[in-house]
Every structure is written in structure tokens, then in C-alpha cells.
Amino acid sequence: MKINVLKGMYDVLPEEVVFWQFIEKTVRETAALFGYGEIRTPILERTELFKRGSGIGTDIVKKEMYIFEDRGGRSVTLRPEGTPSVVRAYLQSGVTSQGEIAKLFYIAPMFRYEKPQKGRFRQHVQFGAECFGIKNPAIDAEMIIFLLTIYARLGLKGFVLELNNVGCGKKECRESVRKGIKDFVSGKTNSMCDDCKLRLEENPLRILDCKKEGCIEILSGFEGTDSLACESCRSYYKELKDLLSANAMPFVENSRLVRGLDYYTAVVFEVTASGLGSQNAIGGGGRYDNMVKELGGPDVPAVGFGAGIERVIMALKSQCPDFPVSTATDVFVVYQGEKALKKVLFILNTLRLKLNISAKAAFGKSMKAQMRTANKLKSKYCIIVGDEEINKGVFKLKNMESGEEKEITENNLKSIRQLFRGKNE
RNA sequence: GUGGCUAUAGUGUAAUGGCAGCACAAGAGACUGUGGUUCUCUUAGAGCGGGUUCAAAUCCCGUUAGUCACCCCA
């Protein structure tokens, strides 16, 4: 019986891996420019971390975690999102009671037990960043610019930044926002969908997120969460908007924007792109000033984002279908006869190890078949070696584009290097 | 978790309930030392389990997987 990959998971094959390498490289380079250091945390953590970090009320924790018992009887969970792990590592690395400024980024797989569909998987990879220890609109702006810079450097076009203030972590502020929403819909709750009727008590914020027509209608005149929030976070939010505008970072205010993670305080943002099916979010984040304390650390403010690499790749592909990088072979070594076969490895070794030229060969095939393979691999040159060449102490070098052939002596194999001037030097 | 659609060779696709075809890909060959074009040949297929029927790729049930949407998210 054949065994296939698990539902919602996939293999990244060589043709596809070039996209991944390109994105990973761009993220790392950009992070270096912004002063963020890479962090790698285990994919497995104590279940408790995500329950307390992501919040027991979230869908992720309630129904999407890969959770199981290890052999020591501990409940462990495959990381469903990046932030709690980074907070844990930040704390564990030994911050003082004041908290320290730390700027960290990661590229890491996430696991959620969901029903897969376009742009949604059970294992997906996010790049993300977190900044601890600073609460200032400027760092939020920098964080957003960091994310948008990565998208821009990837060549992504047409993405939109959405922004909202959902009310800061202070009790009065939270209560005022919740109450404001409840008051606004009171009297109209009958025509709301069943989900929203439940949300009314559990998490009124989520009502804003509902896509049902009836619920959208009810909320049509809603003035937005920002106007319900407290003075201090409203002015913080305004300052952030001013900073973004002053730096030519276009954004759209979305007073309905609510993120699925409960820990966000005040600032939330999301970046959307087209060509992704019904999943149009390619990245999102916000400020989470309470999580570090809730996970047992000092009262350290924080801001961060996460972005899905699969969705970025999808968006890039839908924008420029010819994106894949060509991986043509430089030299293909063709041989004829037993004696020549002994020379093939010598030639391959010289090209690969001494001359830094990518070289291939096909063993155990007819010469014609070898040539066909060379052609299929888009080799620029072939080196042909058979009895005739061995007797003369030469190799035949064939330019596959022009068909032109010339002889080079065995000792002068290194002269091939000049054909690839500027490459891999 | 809920719902819709789909399942035939490596890939893409045909066939009133009656012999499972085609294209591409792959491999071998067409003056035994040379690729692309052309030609010939070869390999390779019903997701799985039941049922109806003389007969099932085709109809029915289940299951698995894929896919799309909802929920939610990246």
C-alpha cells in the first residue's frame, strides 16, 4: 500500500524550492537591514504555552491545535502560531525585571488542524517578527514598514495595508469598546446570524468581522472601534497613522478589522492581496502589550507580525507566471566506451571541485540518449570523450547552441573556466 | 467542524451499462561517435470497500483523498 503525504501538507519539490529560497533570502536580508536577529524555536511546546499565549477563546486553541501527550505524560502541541514561542524564548533567555529591547524574526512552519482549501494548509510556513520592550508609534510604524518592504522587495504588487485600533489592554478601554458595540446593535439582535448572537456575549468584537449580509447591514452606521477606545490609545493610533502617512506608506483604515487572536491591544493591521481565492490575507499583526506579563514575565510591551509564505508565493505566481528561475546545467559530460567512462568522473570532479562549474552526466545510456538528456537539461556545453579522444589526449567541447565543436587538451581542461566568466567566481 | 463538486497511465483528458482510447511526458530505436525536427516501437491506468446487473470506468451505498466555499486564519 502506497503511503501519501498527510492531508493539508505537501512536499516542496526542486522546481518549487527556488521560490522558497528566494523568499527566505529576501526576508533574511531585509531583517538584517532593519536590525532584527533570527530566532529558531522548537516546533513542539507545552500545550499550556499556546493556551495562555494565544488565548483559550481563540479558534486556534479551541479546535485547531495538534495536541498530544508525549511519552512522559506531558501535553505538548505543534506550534500553531509563532508569537507565544518567541515570547517564551525571550523570557527564558533571561530578561531582567525591566524587560529588554529585543528585535527578533523567524521563518518557521506552523501547524493547524484545519480543513484545507486554496491558500490554507495544515502545515504552512510563516515569516514573522516581534519587537519587545518599546511602546511607541514609531516602532509600530517601523514594524509595518519592515513587512511592506519585504513584500516590495519580493516584487509583489497590489497589496493593501489595513489598519485599525481595537482598543488597548486597559480594562476601561476594552469595556467601553465592547459596550459600544453591544449598545449599537441592541434592539436589532433578532436579525443577526446565530454566530453573532453568541458573540454578543462572548466576544462582541468578532461581530464586526462577520461577513453575513444581515450582520453587515446592522453595522452599516457603526462608527468604528477607534471612536469607542480611550483617549490615550486613540492618540497613539493617530500618531501611528501620521507617521505612516509622513513616510508615504499608504494604508486603508478598516474600522471592522478584528484579528482572530485575542491578545492584540490597540493597533492591529493586516495586509491583503488578490489572486488567493477566498483567503486574501497575506500577513497581519499588531501590538500585544499584555502577553509577556501573562506568560510570567515582566510588564513588557510588544508588537509583531506574521506572514504566510505559501500565500505570498501564490500571489507572486498569479502576478508573474514566468517567475521561476532557470536552472540550466553548465556542462554535460558525454562518453562512449568503458575507457572513457573512467575519464568522466575525472572531468566532473575537475569542473565541479576545481572550476566551480555545474556539471552533469548520464551513466549507462547510449551516446544518443546522453545527448538527448543534455539537450533536455538545457546544457550550454557538452564535453565528449570516447576512444578517439583518449588516444589523442583531448576532449571534445561542443557548444550546444551553435553546434560548434573544438578540441581541448586534457591538461588544458581549466580553460573552460573562461567560458563562464563572471559566474560563480 | 458544516456544505458543494470531483476521482481513468507520470500529467492532461475521452468512451448509450457491452473490447479502456487519445495527447503530452518517459524509455528504446531509425547508416552502431552527436541533441533539438520527423518517424517507429515500448512502458504505464479505473483511489479503496461493498452492492445492483448476464455484464459496471459508467448506476447505488460507504470510505479515503483532492478541490472549492463557510467558520476562522497566513
Side-chain angles (χ1 to χ4, degrees), chain A residues 262-335:
Chain A
D262 293 342
Y263 52 67
Y264 288 115
T265 51
V267 179
V268 296
F269 57 90
E270 199 161 283
V271 184
T272 57
S274 55
L276 301 170
S278 72
Q279 269 62 239
N280 63 352
I282 54 172
R287 178 151 279 289
Y288 52 101
D289 292 327
N290 295 339
M291 196 200 293
V292 178
K293 196 164 69 181
E294 267 159 32
L295 288 176
D299 193 359
V300 177
V303 61
F305 68 76
I309 294 186
E310 290 84 353
R311 289 188 187 173
V312 172
I313 291 175
M314 249 188 266
L316 281 172
K317 278 185 183 169
S318 78
Q319 289 178 7
C320 38
D322 55 339
F323 181 67
V325 198
S326 113
T327 51
T329 305
D330 291 336
V331 176
F332 197 95
V333 184
V334 174
Y335 73 99

Side-chain angles (χ1 to χ4, degrees), chain A residues 190-245:
Chain A
N190 278 344
S191 43
M192 286 198 309
C193 71
D194 292 344
D195 285 337
C196 284
K197 283 174 188 158
L198 284 173
R199 288 170 180 146
L200 199 57
E201 287 312 315
E202 275 183 10
N203 192 353
L205 269 179
R206 295 230 65 90
I207 296 174
L208 302 178
D209 207 23
C210 189
K211 280 116 197 158
K212 299 259 180 355
E213 255 180 57
C215 301
I216 290 175
E217 180 130 343
I218 289 169
L219 287 161
S220 58
F222 183 64
E223 71 268 54
T225 46
D226 181 47
S227 57
L228 298 167
C230 70
E231 261 324 298
S232 76
C233 74
R234 292 195 70 183
S235 67
Y236 184 99
Y237 180 56
K238 178 162 190 318
E239 222 177 303
L240 170 60
K241 288 186 286 184
D242 290 344
L243 281 169
L244 290 172
S245 300

